Amino acid sequence: MSTLSSIPGFLPILELISTPLPAFLITLSLTTIPYFVIKLSVTSQYLDLFRMLSSNLESQLGYNRKHNSLQNEFDFIVVGGGSAGSAVAARLSEQYQVLLIEAGGDPHPLTYVPLMAEALVNLPMIDWQYTTEPLNNSGFVWPNQKMSWPRGKSLGGSSNSNNMIYMRGNPEDFNNWARYTGDERWSYANVEPIFKRMEDYDGHWKGSSHHGEGGPLRIEKSNYDPSASYWLKAGKELGKRVLDQNAFQSEGFSPLDVTQKGGARFSTFRGYIEPNFNNPNLTIHRYSIATKIHFDSGMKAIGVTYYRHANKKYASAKNEIIISCGAINSPKLLLLSGIGPKEQLDSFNINTLVNLKVGENLQDHVLGMAGPFLLGKNVSFLRFRDLTPIAATEYLALGKGPLSSPSGISATGLISSQQNDNKNWPDILMMHVARGIDKNMGKELEQVLGMKLNSGLSKFFEYNAMNDSNFVFVAVGRPKSRGYIKLASNDPFVKPLINPNYFSDEGGADLDVLIQGIQFAVKVYENTTAFKELGARLAPNHFPGCEDHAMKSRSYWECFIRQNPHTMFHPSGTCKMGPLDHPDSVVDSELRVIGTKGLRVADSSIMPFICNANLNSPTIMIGEMCADLVKNDWPNITPEKNVTITV
Ligand SMILES: Cc1cc2nc3c(=O)[nH]c(=O)nc-3n(C[C@H](O)[C@H](O)[C@H](O)COP(=O)(O)OP(=O)(O)OC[C@H]3O[C@@H](n4cnc5c(N)ncnc54)[C@H](O)[C@@H]3O)c2cc1C
C-alpha cells in the first residue's frame, strides 16, 4: 500500500471510489442506463423499420427490380403470387427463367403491423372483396345473408392479410391425402421435411427436431398474450396437454407461433419474393390479371393472356404453366380457359376442352364466435385503454405489445367432438382471443367485414361495452359440407359465384360439432379455477334474434350460430387432387391438370380434404412440393420433353 500510495493521484482516486455514491447519482445511473439501453434498441428497431418501409416504398415504385417488358417467352409461367405462388416462383427461378403474373402490387405497408391487419381486410387495393351467395337459413348479420370472403390481392396474396397463425395441420390430414391419391409423397413423413425446410423457426418449441432453421419463412412466438397463461392452465384442468401442434398435432392447448419477424408480419412476399429482387431469372408482372390459358392442338398449355394496366398482353411458356390463384380464382381461370363442367361452360358459350369437376368440393372452416366471456381483471386488449403512446414506443423499440398482436389471438386449442373416434386427429379448432369490448367494436367490425350495419352483432357487443373479455373462435376442423365456385359470366372481370353451403351435410354433423365446440369453450371459462380466478362468465345477454331460446341451451347455440356465422378465411378444395381415374379429380397427385400437358395447379384449391389447421402453412408447403415435382420433371431444360396426362 505504501508503494502504491506513492503513485501520484492514487490516494485521491481511492478516496473517490470508496466514498458511497450520493443517492441522486445512484438514481441517475439506475434511470439513465436503461434509458440508453432502450434508446439504443429503439434506434436499431427504428432503423429496421426505416429500412423495411423504404424498401417497401422502392418496391411499390418498382425501382428495385428487373424490368424486361420485351421478353414474353419464359421457361415457366406462374400465375398468382400468393402463399403458394410466391414459393413456386422463387424455387423455380433458382434454375429456370420464370414469369410471375400477379393481379395486385406490393403489400400495403400497414400490413406489416399485425394489429392493423384487421382494418385492412376488404380494402379494395389489396383485396378481391368477394361475397358468397345468400347462406341457407343462416348468416342473418350479413347483408342479404351474403357473407364477405376477403382474399388477398398483392404479392404474398392472403399471407399479407391473414392473422399470421402458424399451423401445419395434422399428420393424418396428409396421410389421408396420400391414401386417397395413392401417392406416398403426400404422407406426413414425406411432407414434414418440406415444412422444416420452409421454416426459419424461432417459436415456442425452438430446438425441437420437428422444426427447421434458415428457411425462407420466419416464425416467432406471439409477443402479446395477456391471458394465454390462463387459457393453457384451464386446458390442463380439463385434461388437455400443452403441446406443439406443429410436431404431431393432437388434442391439446398451445401457445401461439406466428409468421412474424421482430413483431412485423412475415408474408411470403418477404420470405420468397423480396430476396429475389435481384434474381435475373425471375420476372414479375404486377397489376396483371390473367384471363385465359391457351393450349396447342395437343392440349399442351402454351401461354397466358393477361391484362396489365388494362393493356391486353400475352406471354408464352416453353415448358409449363402453374396456376396459383387461390381456391376461388384458380378454378375461375380454368373455367374461363375451357376446363370444367361441360354443362356450366356451355351455358356461357365457352368451348369445353376437358370436362372436369372444377369448382366443386369447396370447403371452409365455418366459425362461431363464442363469447364474450367477461373478465374481472385487466387481462385482455382494450384499445381505448391499451393502445397508448407507451404501447407504440414498446412496439417500435421491441416489436412487442398489442400492435404486434393478430387481433388479440394469443393461443389455440384442438379438441375432438363426440363423433370423432380418433383423438389424435381432432375435429374442432379453437382460437383464444384476448380481446375486450371497445365502445364501437361491433360497428367497426360490421364496417370492416362488410356486415349489415347495426346488425345483431353491434347490439350484442353494446350490452357489454368497455369490459375486459375473451372470445373463442371455434371452427369445424374437418367439415363434411361441400360448396362450389361457378362462373357468373364469361366476362373474366365479373366475380364468380361462391356458395360455401355451410351446414348442408346430411345428418347435420357440422352444426353439431360446432355446437359442441362452443359448449366446450363455455366450460373452459366457467368450469375451471384458472378462469374462475378472473371471475370469468359468459355475457348474460341473448344474441339478438335468439331471445326465445333458453340461454346456453342447444337450441340457443344453434340460433346463435345461424345468426352470426363467420368464415375462418380458409376456402380450399376446388381443384381437387385425386387419383387419375377418379371422376372428382381435377389434378393428379403431381398437381397436373388432368387431360392437359404442361399445366399444374398449386395452392389451397388442390387440397382434397381441408387440413385441420389454418391454411397458410400447408399451402406454402404445396407450393414447395410443386416446385420439387417440376424440378424433378425438368432436370435440364429440354423443351422437347412434355409431361403428358391422359384421362
Ligand atoms: C383475413 C384472413 C385471415 C387469415 N388468417 C390466417 C391465419 O392466421 N393463419 C393461416 O395459416 N391462414 C390464414 N388465412 C388463410 C391463408 O392466408 C390462406 O389460406 C392462404 O394464404 C391461401 O394461399 P393461396 O396461395 O391458396 O392463395 P392466395 O394467397 O390468396 O394467393 C392467390 C394470389 O393469386 C392472385 N391472383 C388471383 N387471380 C389472379 C389472376 N387471374 N391473375 C393474376 N393473379 C391472380 C391473387 O391476387 C393472390 O395474390 C387467412 C386468410 C385471410 C384472408
Side-chain angles (χ1 to χ4, degrees):
M1 187 70 160
S2 59
T3 43
L4 284 176
S5 60
S6 62
I7 300 172
F10 177 78
L11 284 178
I13 289 172
L14 185 69
E15 200 178 337
L16 188 69
I17 59 177
S18 54
T19 313
L21 277 175
F24 85 90
L25 271 183
I26 296 177
T27 321
L28 193 68
S29 57
L30 282 179
T31 50
T32 48
I33 291 168
Y35 169 78
F36 281 114
V37 170
I38 288 177
K39 192 171 160 49
L40 261 178
S41 56
V42 169
T43 312
S44 68
Q45 183 81 12
Y46 273 143
L47 281 178
D48 268 359
L49 201 72
F50 178 73
R51 263 195 296 270
M52 202 164 75
L53 289 178
S54 60
S55 111
N56 185 273
L57 181 65
E58 269 181 38
S59 193
Q60 299 278 357
L61 297 170
Y63 285 171
N64 52 0
R65 64 192 67 175
K66 179 182 159 224
H67 285 270
N68 189 348
S69 50
L70 295 178
Q71 184 178 352
N72 60 9
E73 189 182 53
F74 299 83
D75 294 330
F76 293 89
I77 297 178
V78 180
V79 187
S83 295
S86 299
V88 180
R91 292 298 189 191
L92 292 187
S93 66
E94 287 166 4
Q95 62 193 80
Y96 313 114
Q97 288 262 306
V98 176
L99 169 66
L100 173 60
I101 297 174
E102 165 55 45
D106 283 30
H108 192 293
L110 285 180
T111 57
Y112 286 76
V113 182
L115 190 67
M116 294 304 297
E118 64 186 44
L120 298 170
V121 285
N122 276 324
L123 199 69
M125 64 190 287
I126 52 168
D127 195 278
W128 289 86
Q129 298 193 292
Y130 288 127
T131 51
T132 66
E133 293 295 281
L135 302 178
N136 186 19
N137 190 22
S138 65
F140 302 103
V141 294
W142 299 96
N144 303 318
Q145 293 168 255
K146 294 177 168 194
M147 184 186 283
S148 100
W149 265 30
R151 287 286 91 192
K153 180 162 71 169
S154 52
L155 285 169
S158 301
S159 76
N160 291 318
S161 44
N162 69 16
N163 283 318
M164 293 155 275
I165 297 165
Y166 184 75
M167 222 194 250
R168 291 176 180 172
N170 189 287
E172 275 310 300
D173 290 327
F174 305 104
N175 294 339
N176 196 32
W177 295 4
R179 281 191 293 270
Y180 180 70
T181 57
D183 189 337
E184 263 304 298
R185 281 174 290 190
W186 289 101
S187 68
Y188 191 60
N190 289 322
V191 299
E192 199 197 29
I194 302 184
F195 280 115
K196 284 168 71 174
R197 125 185 143 201
M198 275 157 50
E199 293 179 355
D200 182 22
Y201 185 82
D202 191 18
H204 285 279
W205 312 91
K206 191 176 167 66
S208 149
S209 62
H210 292 288
H211 289 286
E213 285 178 26
L217 195 68
R218 181 71 176 172
I219 297 140
E220 295 185 351
K221 296 173 191 173
S222 166
N223 274 326
Y224 182 72
D225 51 1
S227 48
S229 59
Y230 297 92
W231 171 261
L232 299 178
K233 225 164 105 186
K236 274 192 204 155
E237 284 183 47
L238 296 173
K240 310 296 172 201
R241 289 177 301 147
V242 174
L243 55 108
D244 179 5
Q245 294 292 9
N246 290 317
F248 280 94
Q249 187 197 89
S250 163
E251 278 209 324
F253 279 34
S254 308
L256 195 67
D257 280 341
V258 282
T259 41
Q260 289 186 5
K261 185 170 184 182
R265 173 188 297 277
F266 205 84
S267 62
T268 54
F269 170 78
R270 293 186 68 192
Y272 289 92
I273 299 297
E274 226 171 16
N276 277 297
F277 278 163
N278 294 320
N279 177 354
N281 278 348
L282 181 62
T283 301
I284 302 175
H285 284 182
R286 302 177 300 166
Y287 306 108
S288 300
I289 300 187
T291 53
K292 190 169 180 175
I293 307 292
H294 298 265
F295 299 89
D296 67 12
S297 55
M299 278 310 287
K300 155 100 172 61
I302 50 169
V304 183
T305 294
Y306 60 105
Y307 285 79
R308 187 171 196 217
H309 302 306
N311 294 320
K312 191 173 178 180
K313 303 238 171 199
Y314 179 82
S316 49
K318 285 192 246 174
N319 303 314
E320 291 199 23
I321 295 169
I322 295 101
I323 301 179
S324 297
C325 296
I328 297 172
N329 283 334
S330 285
K332 182 182 168 196
L333 183 57
L334 284 176
L335 292 165
L336 289 168
S337 308
I339 298 178
K342 181 168 173 15
E343 208 178 315
Q344 187 189 149
L345 297 184
D346 282 349
S347 69
F348 294 110
N349 295 322
I350 297 172
N351 183 28
T352 305
L353 300 175
V354 193
N355 185 0
L356 295 176
K357 291 193 177 170
V358 173
E360 299 188 12
N361 191 45
L362 173 62
Q363 296 160 66
D364 184 29
H365 291 134
V366 61
L367 179 150
M369 248 186 215
F373 298 100
L374 306 177
L375 304 173
K377 287 191 186 157
N378 295 359
V379 286
S380 67
F381 169 59
L382 271 168
R383 200 174 52 196
F384 82 93
R385 180 189 65 204
D386 300 323
L387 204 53
T388 58
I390 292 178
T393 313
E394 186 189 14
Y395 182 67
L396 290 171
L398 307 167
K400 292 188 173 173
L403 282 157
S404 72
S405 168
S407 302
I409 301 173
S410 51
T412 59
L414 294 169
I415 56 164
S416 289
S417 68
Q418 285 152 10
Q419 288 93 328
N420 180 24
D421 44 22
N422 183 353
K423 303 292 176 223
N424 289 326
W425 191 9
D427 59 351
I428 297 174
L429 289 166
M430 296 188 295
M431 308 290 137
H432 159 80
V433 191
R435 193 70 192 248
I437 308 163
D438 275 290
K439 194 159 168 237
N440 289 318
M441 188 163 120
K443 289 206 166 86
E444 285 169 8
L445 262 183
E446 285 168 352
Q447 253 170 7
V448 168
L449 291 178
M451 299 168 77
K452 245 190 225 169
L453 297 181
N454 297 315
S455 74
L457 187 75
S458 51
K459 286 187 204 132
F460 187 53
F461 283 171
E462 268 159 32
Y463 299 135
N464 296 294
M466 314 297 267
N467 255 297
D468 270 288
S469 71
N470 279 185
F471 290 83
V472 184
F473 293 165
V474 181
V476 183
R478 297 195 275 128
K480 296 192 167 45
S481 304
R482 296 290 183 267
Y484 60 76
I485 305 285
K486 285 184 182 169
L487 289 179
S489 157
N490 58 10
D491 176 347
F493 297 100
V494 171
K495 292 178 183 175
L497 303 177
I498 301 171
N499 186 347
N501 245 338
Y502 295 134
F503 312 123
S504 62
D505 58 310
E506 221 174 294
D510 287 353
L511 181 66
D512 201 42
V513 167
L514 191 47
I515 291 174
Q516 288 178 45
I518 292 181
Q519 287 169 331
F520 186 86
V522 175
K523 242 196 214 171
V524 172
Y525 283 86
E526 295 197 336
N527 291 12
T528 60
T529 50
F531 277 109
K532 276 187 186 152
E533 255 177 55
L534 298 177
R537 67 198 166 97
L538 180 67
N541 322 82
H542 283 79
F543 195 92
C546 300
E547 292 83 354
D548 292 345
H549 301 268
M551 198 62 186
K552 298 190 210 170
S553 63
R554 193 191 183 285
S555 75
Y556 173 75
W557 290 125
E558 174 168 354
C559 174
F560 176 85
I561 291 165
R562 288 197 184 279
Q563 283 289 336
N564 182 33
H566 290 260
T567 169
M568 211 176 179
F569 312 110
H570 295 162
S572 48
T574 47
C575 299
K576 186 176 183 179
M577 172 170 72
L580 203 51
D581 53 0
H582 195 291
D584 292 346
S585 307
V586 173
V587 299
D588 72 355
S589 67
E590 294 203 10
L591 307 179
R592 299 172 295 195
V593 177
I594 292 170
T596 71
K597 299 167 199 165
L599 182 64
R600 302 189 205 229
V601 179
D603 55 31
S604 46
S605 71
I606 68 96
M607 296 181 183
F609 312 102
I610 193 169
C611 294
N612 185 42
N614 305 72
L615 294 193
N616 191 37
S617 165
T619 304
I620 300 170
M621 181 278 287
I622 290 167
E624 289 266 3
M625 171 72 99
C626 176
D628 286 357
L629 294 167
V630 170
K631 285 177 176 177
N632 197 36
D633 280 345
W634 301 93
N636 306 302
I637 293 295
T638 48
E640 306 77 54
K641 183 180 179 215
N642 281 333
V643 184
T644 308
I645 312 185
T646 41
V647 198

